[in-house]
């Protein structure tokens, strides 16, 4: 289903790969741990939002909240 955590994490993985970065490189550049990147890409539901924002910022994206249509 659209908007699921797995869809979100697959997008982040695709962005990382499009940027030509390994998980370790992304973690280092974004200032987060490698374990966090692994858990994020595996869809762990308890990852920290502040760290997700760090990763997205490095990749040139931002998280937005909008009302369902």
């Amino acid at each position: 289903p659209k908007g699921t955590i797995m869809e979100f994490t697959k997008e982040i993985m695709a962005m990382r790969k499009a940027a030509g970065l390994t998980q370790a490189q992304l973690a280092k550049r974004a200032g987060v741990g490698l374990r966090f990147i692994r858990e994020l890409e595996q869809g762990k539901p308890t990852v920290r939002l502040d760290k997700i924002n760090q990763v997205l910022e490095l990749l040139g994206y931002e998280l937005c909240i909008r009302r369902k249509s």
Side-chain angles (χ1 to χ4, degrees):
K2 190 167 179 72
T4 66
I5 188 73
M6 288 310 294
E7 182 179 85
F8 176 71
T9 59
K10 285 180 183 179
E11 276 295 313
I12 290 179
M13 185 186 306
M15 289 185 282
R16 173 182 61 78
K17 289 180 178 182
L21 298 171
T22 65
Q23 288 181 331
Q25 289 169 327
L26 176 58
K28 184 175 182 178
R29 292 183 188 182
V32 299
L34 176 57
R35 180 177 175 182
F36 173 80
I37 297 296
R38 288 183 178 148
E39 290 176 349
L40 176 61
E41 290 188 359
Q42 291 170 359
K44 183 178 177 186
T46 58
V47 293
R48 290 179 40 187
L49 190 56
D50 61 327
K51 290 187 177 188
I52 291 173
N53 282 327
Q54 282 178 244
V55 171
L56 290 174
E57 184 175 327
L58 177 91
L59 294 169
Y61 291 84
E62 64 183 9
L63 191 61
C64 298
I65 297 173
R66 61 185 166 112
R67 185 176 294 276
K68 289 183 177 182
S69 35

